[in-house]
Amino acid sequence: MKLTAEQIQMNWVEFMNNIDTHISSPRKEQLTKFYEKYAERIMLMPAAHKKEYHSAFPGGYVDHVNRVVRCALKQSELWKSEGCDMSTFTTEELVFSAINHDLGKMGDANHEAYIPQTDKWRRDKLGEDYMFNKELAFSAVPDRGLFLLQDNNIKYTFNEMIAIQTHDGLYDPANDKYLKGYMPEQKPRTSLPFILHQADMMAARIEFEVEWLPKFKNSVDASKKNFTLDNNKKPSTKNKALGSIQSEGLKNIFDKL
């Protein structure tokens, strides 16, 4: 998938508008300052390094984050309609968590996390248009994102910390300690982490369908179109081999293979 320059710019306007609309002062100004500082990098970032993953193209990161924000707000209304206790978190906490859930993919102040793939074989055969920057010290995405926020004096609530930390749900074993508690007192005291996780899954799934389902459909249609039943088909290698064997015993053995 490719975004035009206009789409990338429009996505950035939506991204910054989400901060202006849903985040209160002083965090609104702090987030605006932070994102404006790294605007050029973040605006063009992919959301992943590999084509098979979601939004792995220039501008894919902001496109994905905007969709997660939209999905989170809609999921929140769904949970509310089914009786969820909405008093345990605020809309600001929900949107703040959605905006910053993948912030760790940015890298750090001096290094981008994803850089163009230099290995032609990996680019052509594995679909890796990007690779991880070896100059960047390793960190899990949620951990780096939370570090970047505190390093820029942007405070977050306990709810936001848990939501960002666990946004990958049980796909990340590191979240077992938060999400696999069987005692009531060990379970999250708010549904915010679950709403954010579902929004992230929803966004990633939709991005997969937009990018890949048409390709699968075209591939299946092409294979059907090119399929012919040829009664004059040349004998297979196996049949050729059987025809050259004189011994009936050996023929029977090979015929069973």
Side-chain angles (χ1 to χ4, degrees):
M1 182 174 177
K2 291 184 178 180
L3 298 178
T4 65
E6 290 76 15
Q7 287 174 316
I8 290 174
Q9 182 61 41
M10 288 175 61
N11 281 343
W12 184 249
V13 171
E14 179 183 346
F15 181 87
M16 298 304 289
N17 281 343
N18 282 331
I19 296 174
D20 188 60
T21 302
H22 297 286
I23 309 302
S24 60
S25 297
R27 295 202 301 178
K28 176 192 295 188
E29 291 76 21
Q30 292 168 336
L31 278 175
T32 299
K33 180 181 178 182
F34 171 79
Y35 280 109
E36 285 180 346
K37 180 179 179 180
Y38 297 103
E40 185 175 339
R41 185 199 303 191
I42 295 173
M43 195 185 302
L44 296 173
M45 273 171 48
H49 77 289
K50 195 172 183 179
K51 289 178 181 177
E52 284 77 5
Y53 300 161
H54 67 87
S55 301
F57 49 81
Y61 175 84
V62 174
D63 187 69
H64 171 68
V65 170
N66 287 347
R67 188 172 288 102
V68 173
V69 172
R70 296 194 299 268
C71 291
L73 291 169
K74 292 170 184 175
Q75 285 287 346
S76 179
E77 288 300 314
L78 176 61
W79 280 63
K80 179 181 178 180
S81 70
E82 290 298 325
C84 175
D85 184 355
M86 307 302 287
S87 69
T88 61
F89 66 94
T90 66
T91 299
E92 178 172 344
E93 287 181 314
L94 175 66
V95 176
F96 181 94
S97 301
I99 289 173
N100 298 294
H101 78 283
D102 267 348
L103 178 58
K105 292 181 178 180
M106 172 191 135
D108 62 21
N110 301 311
H111 305 93
E112 298 181 46
Y114 300 134
I115 57 177
Q117 175 62 260
T118 57
D119 188 321
K120 186 177 184 300
W121 185 88
R122 298 190 70 87
R123 192 169 58 246
D124 295 343
K125 301 300 183 182
L126 302 181
E128 295 179 2
D129 287 338
Y130 298 87
M131 63 181 183
F132 293 107
N133 188 352
K134 296 178 182 178
E135 296 296 318
L136 183 68
F138 171 78
S139 171
V141 169
D143 297 337
R144 192 187 304 282
L146 291 170
F147 172 80
L148 284 168
L149 290 172
Q150 65 85 26
D151 193 45
N152 287 273
N153 300 313
I154 302 170
K155 292 185 178 181
Y156 45 82
T157 67
F158 182 83
N159 279 348
E160 291 163 348
M161 179 188 72
I162 299 299
I164 292 172
Q165 193 76 52
T166 64
H167 75 266
D168 279 328
L170 291 175
Y171 288 104
D172 185 348
N175 296 332
D176 288 1
K177 57 184 176 292
Y178 290 111
L179 304 178
K180 277 191 175 180
Y182 297 104
M183 300 296 290
E185 62 269 21
Q186 293 179 320
K187 296 180 181 294
R189 304 297 173 91
T190 173
S191 293
L192 174 59
F194 304 99
I195 295 172
L196 179 61
H197 173 53
Q198 289 186 358
D200 191 28
M201 284 184 62
M202 182 179 179
R205 173 63 197 185
I206 291 168
E207 289 154 16
F208 165 80
E209 293 191 359
V210 170
E211 175 77 9
W212 288 99
L213 289 192
K215 296 177 182 178
F216 293 152
K217 183 178 183 302
N218 292 338
S219 176
V220 171
D221 290 346
S223 65
K224 289 180 179 178
K225 184 178 180 181
N226 295 328
F227 176 78
T228 56
L229 184 61
D230 187 358
N231 291 324
N232 297 319
K233 190 175 180 181
K234 293 181 180 180
S236 66
T237 302
K238 176 181 176 181
N239 290 335
K240 285 183 178 179
L242 288 172
S244 64
I245 296 175
Q246 301 298 320
S247 168
E248 289 299 321
L250 285 176
K251 279 187 178 182
N252 289 337
I253 292 173
F254 277 101
D255 193 47
K256 292 177 182 178
L257 294 178

